[in-house]
Amino acid sequence: MTAYRNMMEIFMEQLFDDRKDQIDCCTCPECRSDIIALALNQLPPRYVCTHKGELLSKVEQLAKQNRADALTALTQAAERVKEFPRH
Ligand SMILES: [Zn+2]
């Protein structure tokens, strides 16, 4: 059982799916993973111990504090993947 998770991963996945229509890049599963991975490298990880039920409220908190930075990272990552798509 996983005892810890990087909340940034969950947050970035949510943000991507949320902004999918506005992202000026292919959003197939491969490009999605590439964009999210690139964006995650730009941001400090936020590991938390996971206990049932707590995780989502922590992600929400993180989202409030880091939305602007995360969006910038996501947009830059999409631009890079668009230039060199791997699919
Ligand atoms: Zn693609």
Side-chain angles (χ1 to χ4, degrees), residues 17-34:
D17 293 338
D18 212 42
R19 300 285 166 137
K20 215 171 165 174
D21 299 339
Q22 291 147 55
I23 290 173
D24 182 24
C25 180
C26 172
T27 53
C28 76
E30 245 176 283
C31 292
R32 180 183 185 267
S33 311
D34 279 349

Side-chain angles (χ1 to χ4, degrees), residues 3-56:
Y4 38 79
R5 281 214 64 180
N6 179 5
M7 284 193 303
M8 274 294 178
E9 288 179 17
I10 303 166
F11 173 38
M12 200 55 89
E13 284 168 4
Q14 285 179 355
L15 196 67
F16 183 94
D17 293 338
D18 212 42
R19 300 285 166 137
K20 215 171 165 174
D21 299 339
Q22 291 147 55
I23 290 173
D24 182 24
C25 180
C26 172
T27 53
C28 76
E30 245 176 283
C31 292
R32 180 183 185 267
S33 311
D34 279 349
I35 294 170
I36 291 175
L38 272 173
L40 282 170
N41 283 335
Q42 303 302 311
L43 299 163
R46 296 289 164 85
Y47 281 97
V48 287
C49 283
T50 58
H51 300 288
K52 221 178 173 182
E54 278 180 20
L55 195 63
L56 278 181

Side-chain angles (χ1 to χ4, degrees), residues 11 14-15 18-19 60-73:
F11 173 38
Q14 285 179 355
L15 196 67
D18 212 42
R19 300 285 166 137
E60 263 169 46
Q61 249 180 28
L62 186 81
K64 269 185 210 154
Q65 292 159 3
N66 297 275
R67 185 166 284 275
D69 284 350
L71 259 179
T72 308

